[in-house]
Amino acid sequence: SAVISQKPSRDICQRGTSLTIQCQVDSQVTMMFWYRQQPGQSLTLIATANQGSEATYESGFVIDKFPISRPNLTFSTLTVSNMSPEDSSIYLCSVLGAAAWGTEAFFGQGTRLTVV
Amino acid sequence: QQPVQSPQAVILREGEDAVINCSSSKALYSVHWYRQKHGEAPVFLMILLKGGEQKGHEKISASFNEKKQQSSLYLTASQLSYSGTYFCGTPTPPDMRFGAGTRLTVKP
Protein backbone atom coordinates (compact mmCIF):
# COMPACT_ATOMS: atom_id res chain seq x y z
CA SER A 1 0.00 0.00 0.00
CA ALA A 2 0.99 3.64 -0.19
CA VAL A 3 0.08 6.70 1.82
CA ILE A 4 0.24 10.02 0.00
CA SER A 5 0.33 13.38 1.70
CA GLN A 6 -0.80 16.18 -0.58
CA LYS A 7 -0.85 19.86 0.16
CA PRO A 8 -2.35 22.36 0.14
CA SER A 9 -5.79 20.81 0.52
CA ARG A 10 -7.41 23.90 -0.94
CA ASP A 11 -6.54 27.38 -2.09
CA ILE A 12 -8.14 30.44 -3.59
CA CYS A 13 -5.83 32.21 -6.01
CA GLN A 14 -5.87 35.34 -8.10
CA ARG A 15 -5.82 34.96 -11.85
CA GLY A 16 -2.37 35.31 -13.37
CA THR A 17 -0.61 33.81 -10.36
CA SER A 18 0.84 30.32 -9.91
CA LEU A 19 0.27 27.60 -7.33
CA THR A 20 2.55 24.69 -6.53
CA ILE A 21 1.03 21.48 -5.20
CA GLN A 22 3.18 19.00 -3.34
CA CYS A 23 2.84 15.25 -2.92
CA GLN A 24 4.89 13.10 -0.58
CA VAL A 25 4.65 9.30 -0.70
CA ASP A 26 5.60 7.06 2.21
CA SER A 27 7.47 4.66 -0.06
CA GLN A 28 9.64 4.87 -3.13
CA VAL A 29 7.74 4.71 -6.40
CA THR A 30 8.97 4.89 -9.95
CA MET A 31 6.08 6.90 -11.31
CA MET A 32 3.71 9.45 -9.90
CA PHE A 33 0.63 10.60 -11.74
CA TRP A 34 -1.13 13.93 -11.69
CA TYR A 35 -4.84 14.11 -12.42
CA ARG A 36 -7.32 16.93 -12.76
CA GLN A 37 -10.92 16.47 -11.75
CA GLN A 38 -13.27 19.25 -12.78
CA PRO A 39 -16.51 19.59 -10.82
CA GLY A 40 -18.66 16.51 -11.30
CA GLN A 41 -16.28 15.08 -13.84
CA SER A 42 -13.91 12.17 -14.06
CA LEU A 43 -10.20 12.03 -13.44
CA THR A 44 -8.19 13.30 -16.38
CA LEU A 45 -4.53 12.42 -16.48
CA ILE A 46 -2.34 15.49 -16.80
CA ALA A 47 1.09 13.91 -16.78
CA THR A 48 3.27 11.09 -15.54
CA ALA A 49 6.26 12.11 -13.44
CA ASN A 50 9.39 9.97 -13.51
CA GLN A 51 12.33 10.56 -11.28
CA GLY A 52 15.35 11.82 -13.17
CA SER A 53 13.59 12.65 -16.41
CA GLU A 54 11.06 15.08 -17.80
CA ALA A 55 7.43 14.40 -17.15
CA THR A 56 5.30 12.92 -19.92
CA TYR A 57 2.27 15.09 -20.66
CA GLU A 58 -1.07 14.00 -22.03
CA SER A 59 -2.69 15.62 -25.01
CA GLY A 60 -3.99 19.04 -24.09
CA PHE A 61 -1.54 19.63 -21.27
CA VAL A 62 1.80 21.40 -21.71
CA ILE A 63 4.86 21.81 -19.57
CA ASP A 64 4.75 25.60 -19.63
CA LYS A 65 1.32 25.56 -18.01
CA PHE A 66 1.83 22.59 -15.69
CA PRO A 67 5.53 22.26 -14.86
CA ILE A 68 6.30 19.19 -12.77
CA SER A 69 9.28 18.36 -10.63
CA ARG A 70 10.31 14.91 -9.42
CA PRO A 71 13.50 15.34 -7.43
CA ASN A 72 13.41 11.89 -5.80
CA LEU A 73 11.39 8.68 -5.64
CA THR A 74 9.02 9.87 -2.89
CA PHE A 75 8.18 13.45 -3.86
CA SER A 76 6.71 15.44 -6.72
CA THR A 77 5.27 18.87 -7.32
CA LEU A 78 2.82 20.18 -9.89
CA THR A 79 2.65 23.91 -10.59
CA VAL A 80 -0.41 25.47 -12.16
CA SER A 81 0.97 28.56 -13.88
CA ASN A 82 -0.61 31.83 -14.98
CA MET A 83 -3.94 30.68 -13.63
CA SER A 84 -7.33 31.56 -15.04
CA PRO A 85 -10.78 30.69 -13.71
CA GLU A 86 -10.84 27.72 -16.10
CA ASP A 87 -8.10 26.14 -13.98
CA SER A 88 -10.47 25.89 -11.03
CA SER A 89 -10.56 22.20 -10.31
CA ILE A 90 -9.42 19.46 -7.97
CA TYR A 91 -5.89 18.26 -8.59
CA LEU A 92 -4.88 14.80 -7.39
CA CYS A 93 -1.61 12.97 -7.31
CA SER A 94 -1.61 9.20 -7.51
CA VAL A 95 0.68 6.22 -7.48
CA LEU A 96 0.17 2.59 -8.42
CA GLY A 97 1.12 0.44 -5.49
CA ALA A 98 1.34 -3.24 -4.77
CA ALA A 99 -1.64 -4.89 -3.16
CA ALA A 100 -2.54 -8.47 -2.34
CA TRP A 101 -4.51 -8.65 -5.58
CA GLY A 102 -2.02 -6.95 -7.87
CA THR A 103 -1.82 -3.22 -8.21
CA GLU A 104 -4.05 -0.54 -6.86
CA ALA A 105 -4.21 3.20 -7.41
CA PHE A 106 -3.63 5.29 -4.31
CA PHE A 107 -4.51 8.97 -4.23
CA GLY A 108 -3.54 12.02 -2.28
CA GLN A 109 -6.32 13.90 -0.57
CA GLY A 110 -6.59 16.32 -3.47
CA THR A 111 -6.11 20.06 -3.82
CA ARG A 112 -9.26 22.06 -4.44
CA LEU A 113 -8.21 25.12 -6.43
CA THR A 114 -10.43 28.12 -7.00
CA VAL A 115 -9.18 30.88 -9.28
CA VAL A 116 -10.86 34.26 -8.94
CA GLN B 1 -8.19 5.83 -24.10
CA GLN B 2 -10.74 6.31 -21.34
CA PRO B 3 -13.35 3.62 -20.71
CA VAL B 4 -17.02 4.52 -21.12
CA GLN B 5 -19.27 4.23 -18.10
CA SER B 6 -23.02 3.97 -17.85
CA PRO B 7 -25.37 5.07 -16.48
CA GLN B 8 -24.29 8.56 -15.49
CA ALA B 9 -26.42 8.53 -12.37
CA VAL B 10 -28.52 6.12 -10.35
CA ILE B 11 -30.94 6.79 -7.50
CA LEU B 12 -31.88 3.85 -5.29
CA ARG B 13 -33.81 3.13 -2.18
CA GLU B 14 -31.92 1.37 0.57
CA GLY B 15 -31.90 -2.37 -0.06
CA GLU B 16 -32.25 -2.11 -3.82
CA ASP B 17 -29.70 -3.36 -6.33
CA ALA B 18 -27.74 -1.48 -8.98
CA VAL B 19 -25.55 -2.31 -11.94
CA ILE B 20 -22.85 -0.02 -13.33
CA ASN B 21 -21.19 -0.75 -16.65
CA CYS B 22 -17.72 0.02 -17.95
CA SER B 23 -16.91 -0.47 -21.63
CA SER B 24 -13.78 -0.37 -23.69
CA SER B 25 -13.00 -0.57 -27.38
CA LYS B 26 -10.39 -3.22 -26.58
CA ALA B 27 -10.48 -6.37 -24.51
CA LEU B 28 -10.02 -5.64 -20.84
CA TYR B 29 -7.45 -7.64 -18.91
CA SER B 30 -8.40 -6.19 -15.60
CA VAL B 31 -10.76 -3.54 -14.33
CA HIS B 32 -10.48 -1.59 -11.14
CA TRP B 33 -13.45 -0.05 -9.39
CA TYR B 34 -13.19 3.00 -7.13
CA ARG B 35 -15.69 4.96 -5.10
CA GLN B 36 -15.36 8.64 -4.35
CA LYS B 37 -17.33 10.37 -1.64
CA HIS B 38 -17.94 14.08 -2.04
CA GLY B 39 -14.85 16.08 -1.16
CA GLU B 40 -12.69 13.01 -0.75
CA ALA B 41 -10.18 11.15 -2.88
CA PRO B 42 -11.24 7.99 -4.73
CA VAL B 43 -10.86 4.80 -2.75
CA PHE B 44 -10.20 1.36 -4.20
CA LEU B 45 -13.15 -1.04 -4.04
CA MET B 46 -12.18 -4.06 -6.03
CA ILE B 47 -10.36 -5.48 -9.00
CA LEU B 48 -11.73 -7.86 -11.62
CA LEU B 49 -9.00 -9.93 -13.20
CA LYS B 50 -9.07 -11.37 -16.69
CA GLY B 51 -9.91 -14.87 -15.51
CA GLY B 52 -12.97 -13.51 -13.73
CA GLU B 53 -11.31 -13.59 -10.36
CA GLN B 54 -12.35 -10.78 -8.05
CA LYS B 55 -10.49 -9.26 -5.21
CA GLY B 56 -11.24 -6.61 -2.69
CA HIS B 57 -14.80 -6.22 -1.48
CA GLU B 58 -17.16 -8.69 0.10
CA LYS B 59 -20.50 -7.19 -0.81
CA ILE B 60 -19.75 -5.91 -4.28
CA SER B 61 -19.15 -8.13 -7.28
CA ALA B 62 -18.25 -7.63 -10.91
CA SER B 63 -18.11 -9.58 -14.13
CA PHE B 64 -16.93 -9.39 -17.72
CA ASN B 65 -19.10 -9.89 -20.76
CA GLU B 66 -18.19 -12.60 -23.25
CA LYS B 67 -15.75 -10.50 -25.25
CA LYS B 68 -14.26 -8.95 -22.12
CA GLN B 69 -14.91 -5.50 -23.52
CA GLN B 70 -17.39 -4.64 -20.82
CA SER B 71 -17.34 -5.03 -17.09
CA SER B 72 -20.38 -4.69 -14.86
CA LEU B 73 -20.31 -3.80 -11.17
CA TYR B 74 -23.11 -5.25 -9.07
CA LEU B 75 -24.21 -3.52 -5.91
CA THR B 76 -26.72 -5.66 -4.05
CA ALA B 77 -28.88 -4.73 -1.09
CA SER B 78 -27.50 -1.19 -1.22
CA GLN B 79 -26.81 0.71 1.96
CA LEU B 80 -26.79 4.43 2.57
CA SER B 81 -22.99 4.26 2.78
CA TYR B 82 -22.85 3.12 -0.85
CA SER B 83 -23.67 6.63 -2.03
CA GLY B 84 -20.89 8.26 -4.00
CA THR B 85 -19.42 8.36 -7.47
CA TYR B 86 -18.12 5.10 -8.88
CA PHE B 87 -15.26 5.05 -11.34
CA CYS B 88 -13.92 2.15 -13.31
CA GLY B 89 -10.21 2.22 -14.02
CA THR B 90 -8.45 0.34 -16.76
CA PRO B 91 -4.70 -0.12 -16.41
CA THR B 92 -2.98 1.22 -19.52
CA PRO B 93 0.65 0.83 -18.51
CA PRO B 94 2.27 2.77 -17.15
CA ASP B 95 -0.83 4.59 -15.88
CA MET B 96 -4.53 4.08 -15.34
CA ARG B 97 -7.45 5.62 -17.21
CA PHE B 98 -10.78 6.25 -15.57
CA GLY B 99 -14.34 6.33 -16.80
CA ALA B 100 -16.48 9.43 -16.43
CA GLY B 101 -18.08 8.11 -13.26
CA THR B 102 -21.53 7.02 -12.13
CA ARG B 103 -23.14 9.02 -9.36
CA LEU B 104 -25.01 6.67 -7.04
CA THR B 105 -27.46 8.02 -4.51
CA VAL B 106 -29.03 5.69 -1.96
CA LYS B 107 -32.04 7.07 -0.15
CA PRO B 108 -33.65 5.74 3.04
Side-chain angles (χ1 to χ4, degrees):
Chain A
S1 67
V3 177
I4 304 175
S5 176
Q6 183 175 343
K7 58 181 179 183
S9 58
R10 59 177 62 229
D11 208 341
I12 301 173
C13 300
Q14 296 291 323
R15 66 177 67 200
T17 63
S18 298
L19 176 72
T20 296
I21 303 167
Q22 300 179 4
C23 272
Q24 178 77 48
V25 189
D26 69 343
S27 57
Q28 293 185 336
V29 292
T30 305
M31 295 180 186
M32 294 180 71
F33 307 98
W34 287 96
Y35 289 89
R36 182 174 72 184
Q37 186 176 30
Q38 294 179 310
Q41 302 297 313
S42 184
L43 301 146
T44 301
L45 183 65
I46 298 172
T48 302
N50 297 305
Q51 193 269 331
S53 64
E54 275 199 5
T56 303
Y57 289 83
E58 297 298 306
S59 176
F61 298 97
V62 295
I63 188 171
D64 290 345
K65 177 67 176 177
F66 297 100
I68 286 171
S69 78
R70 186 80 202 276
N72 57 54
L73 291 173
T74 63
F75 187 79
S76 179
T77 67
L78 170 77
T79 298
V80 186
S81 303
N82 188 26
M83 289 184 285
S84 66
E86 291 71 35
D87 294 320
S88 297
S89 192
I90 297 172
Y91 294 85
L92 294 137
C93 61
S94 174
V95 302
L96 294 178
W101 37 78
T103 61
E104 176 183 331
F106 297 90
F107 293 89
Q109 301 94 318
T111 296
R112 185 179 293 267
L113 171 63
T114 303
V115 184
V116 296
Chain B
Q1 195 155 6
Q2 287 182 286
V4 177
Q5 262 185 261
S6 63
Q8 288 185 324
V10 181
I11 300 175
L12 299 173
R13 292 285 179 191
E14 203 173 0
E16 292 181 339
D17 302 338
V19 180
I20 301 171
N21 299 308
C22 178
S23 299
S24 171
S25 57
K26 299 180 179 180
L28 299 166
Y29 292 97
S30 68
V31 176
H32 294 218
W33 288 95
Y34 294 81
R35 180 170 60 209
Q36 185 178 31
K37 300 275 189 178
H38 182 69
E40 300 178 7
V43 174
F44 176 83
L45 283 180
M46 67 171 303
I47 182 172
L48 176 65
L49 301 172
K50 65 178 180 178
E53 191 176 16
Q54 303 172 39
K55 301 285 188 181
H57 200 287
E58 294 181 357
K59 296 185 179 180
I60 295 175
S61 63
S63 69
F64 282 119
N65 72 347
E66 190 174 312
K67 293 185 177 180
K68 289 190 169 53
Q69 287 183 284
Q70 178 174 296
S71 173
S72 297
L73 182 73
Y74 304 97
L75 305 165
T76 57
S78 58
Q79 306 171 16
L80 295 176
S81 62
Y82 286 12
S83 291
T85 301
Y86 289 74
F87 295 99
C88 64
T90 54
T92 52
D95 57 73
M96 188 170 304
R97 304 294 163 127
F98 294 91
T102 297
R103 180 172 298 204
L104 181 75
T105 304
V106 181
K107 295 187 175 182

